[in-house]
Amino acid sequence: MADLPLREELRGAEPYGAPQLDVPVLLNVNENPVPPSEAVAREMGEAVAAAARGLNRYPDREFLDLRADLADFLALESGVRLPPEQLWAANGSNEVMLQLLQAFGGHGRTAVSFAPTYSMYPEYARDTGTRWVAGHRREDFTVDPAAAVALVEAEQPSVVLLTSPNNPTGTALPADVVEAVCEVAPGVVVVDEAYAEFRRAGVPSALELLERYPRLAVSRTMSKAFSLAGARVGYLASSPAVVDALRVVRLPYHLSGVTQAVARVALRHSEELLRGVAALRAERDDLVAWLRGLGLEVADSDANFVLFGRLADRHAAWQGLLDRGVLIRETGPPGWLRVSVGTPEETAAFREALGEVLATPAGAREPSRSGDHDPSTRSTR
């Protein structure tokens, strides 16, 4: 690319992506380990076949039927009833986020978040010419509402990106943090709830705040809880005005007829597809307790993954696991690793492999220390 007239901010940049390796146990990208049932898969196939018969025509670019189905699901899942006009969807929550930065970011504007967090956020900012500012989280990965307010008041961002549960830490945000930011933010506040269905009982959703804050937007995905990572369906709930702003920047017919058909089948079977979420939550909590029993530091998690440390050489530990056929994610602050919750068999393989690694020099620990949350640290979905 050196000879191309590439934008300067893209020179030397690496494409986004976690390692894709052929190993027996894949626990590095937070997928749902349970696929749709045969009955649901068959119904999806029938819906795709029906959509295929009309592929000579463009899809419904407003997809109000899908938006109505999403509204029905949120009413059941979070108790918040919204009209279809307050819902939006795209090819994964990644595209939703990019559309938000296209609409509300840009040259001369600023986006703010709190690190460590999802590494695509600064890339959305970069790709839209938006200035990026990352504040810091506390040592326990929570966000100090007073510090958040101070940063927002100082930077006056057009976009604030909050994440609950946060990636790569799994940390959920209490409502008071979101409210404090919404009270002072001059622009749009986005709460990324990609893992919201995995949150523990009593942990609120920012959806409950939409009525009070018209510039609040809450994004979700069907990749995780719905076992639809391969379908690429993300969505957003906000005010009609925010949704209309995304309609301005979206590409024509951006959501294919096939994607819409698969998503609507999944939503019809939401009860079945989400039945396994409770089991994954229990598996996650057992994993947290087990890791702590080994003397490791473990972040409280409301997601379908667990961040643990601190390791003197996390890469050596990561490689030791990989040598034993288990792929997890080398991400987060220095000394930490992230493991997705898998099937019981996959989790058992991870436990066995980690036990072996911790008994070698690669598993050496380091003492806790402050000030090591690097805002440039990358994490992946």
Side-chain angles (χ1 to χ4, degrees):
M1 294 189 293
D3 295 332
L4 295 174
L6 196 65
R7 288 163 44 194
E8 287 303 316
E9 61 268 32
L10 298 180
R11 292 194 182 279
E14 294 290 332
Y16 169 87
Q20 292 182 311
L21 304 175
D22 185 13
V23 298
V25 180
L26 299 171
L27 298 173
N28 68 322
V29 289
N30 304 337
E31 297 160 327
N32 191 321
V34 182
S37 68
E38 284 299 318
V40 173
R42 184 165 52 251
E43 189 172 332
M44 287 178 177
E46 293 168 356
V48 169
R53 298 185 187 98
L55 289 182
N56 58 310
R57 303 294 185 185
Y58 286 114
D60 178 1
R61 63 174 176 260
E62 298 300 334
F63 48 92
L64 281 170
D65 290 339
L66 172 58
R67 291 156 74 182
D69 290 348
L70 289 167
D72 288 342
F73 168 71
L74 290 181
L76 288 172
E77 194 271 341
S78 297
V80 177
R81 167 57 69 180
L82 300 168
E85 292 77 14
Q86 286 189 241
L87 275 294
W88 185 245
N91 293 282
S93 58
N94 302 98
E95 186 176 35
V96 172
M97 288 288 180
L98 182 60
Q99 290 173 343
L100 283 162
L101 268 292
Q102 288 174 319
F104 301 109
H107 294 283
R109 296 188 170 199
T110 298
V112 160
S113 192
F114 300 89
T117 194
Y118 185 37
S119 67
M120 281 300 296
Y121 294 158
E123 296 190 20
Y124 302 141
R126 177 201 66 194
D127 293 347
T128 56
T130 309
R131 176 173 169 262
W132 174 251
V133 175
H136 290 268
R137 291 173 174 263
R138 296 171 171 141
E139 276 296 299
D140 63 356
F141 304 118
T142 59
V143 174
D144 180 346
V149 166
L151 183 64
V152 170
E153 288 181 332
E155 297 295 341
Q156 292 293 292
S158 59
V159 180
V160 179
L161 293 169
L162 303 174
T163 318
S164 183
N166 183 51
N167 181 20
T169 66
T171 316
L173 286 176
D176 66 313
V177 174
V178 180
E179 291 173 300
V181 171
C182 286
E183 289 291 339
V184 299
V188 173
V189 177
V190 184
V191 180
D192 183 349
E193 292 191 346
Y195 302 94
E197 292 87 353
F198 297 95
R199 68 193 189 277
R200 289 171 287 186
V203 175
S205 167
L207 291 167
E208 299 169 16
L209 302 175
L210 285 175
E211 187 175 4
R212 288 171 51 195
Y213 299 107
R215 291 188 176 185
L216 173 64
V218 181
S219 73
R220 292 279 187 100
T221 182
M222 297 183 73
S223 294
K224 315 299 181 183
F226 278 88
S227 298
L228 283 189
R232 308 307 300 129
V233 184
Y235 60 102
L236 168 142
S238 190
S239 65
V242 169
V243 170
D244 283 346
L246 302 192
R247 293 175 61 237
V248 171
V249 300
R250 60 100 184 270
L251 293 174
Y253 310 105
H254 71 291
L255 203 61
S256 79
V258 170
T259 299
Q260 293 178 42
V262 170
R264 295 197 67 200
V265 172
L267 288 163
R268 283 200 294 273
H269 294 277
S270 61
E271 183 178 354
E272 176 185 338
L273 289 169
L274 270 64
R275 197 172 293 144
V277 167
L280 290 171
R281 280 197 298 257
E283 187 84 18
R284 172 201 66 205
D285 293 342
D286 288 346
L287 185 57
V288 168
W290 180 79
L291 288 165
R292 286 176 175 162
L294 297 177
L296 293 163
E297 289 189 52
V298 186
D300 289 333
S301 178
D302 279 281
N304 67 336
F305 56 83
V306 177
L307 187 76
F308 66 94
R310 305 179 186 232
L311 299 159
D313 186 346
R314 73 169 177 185
H315 182 72
W318 176 86
Q319 186 64 55
L321 289 167
L322 182 60
D323 292 342
R324 291 163 174 81
V326 178
L327 178 63
I328 68 171
R329 190 70 175 126
E330 185 179 3
T331 188
W336 295 77
L337 293 169
R338 191 193 70 194
V339 59
S340 305
V341 178
T343 64
E345 295 76 16
E346 290 170 334
T347 301
F350 164 72
R351 291 188 183 200
E352 180 179 357
L354 183 62
E356 293 177 3
V357 169
L358 293 178
T360 71
R365 326 290 174 82
E366 65 178 22
S368 298
R369 65 182 189 275
S370 61
D372 63 355
H373 293 176
D374 179 2
S376 67
T377 300
R378 295 177 61 88
S379 70
T380 61
R381 276 270 184 257

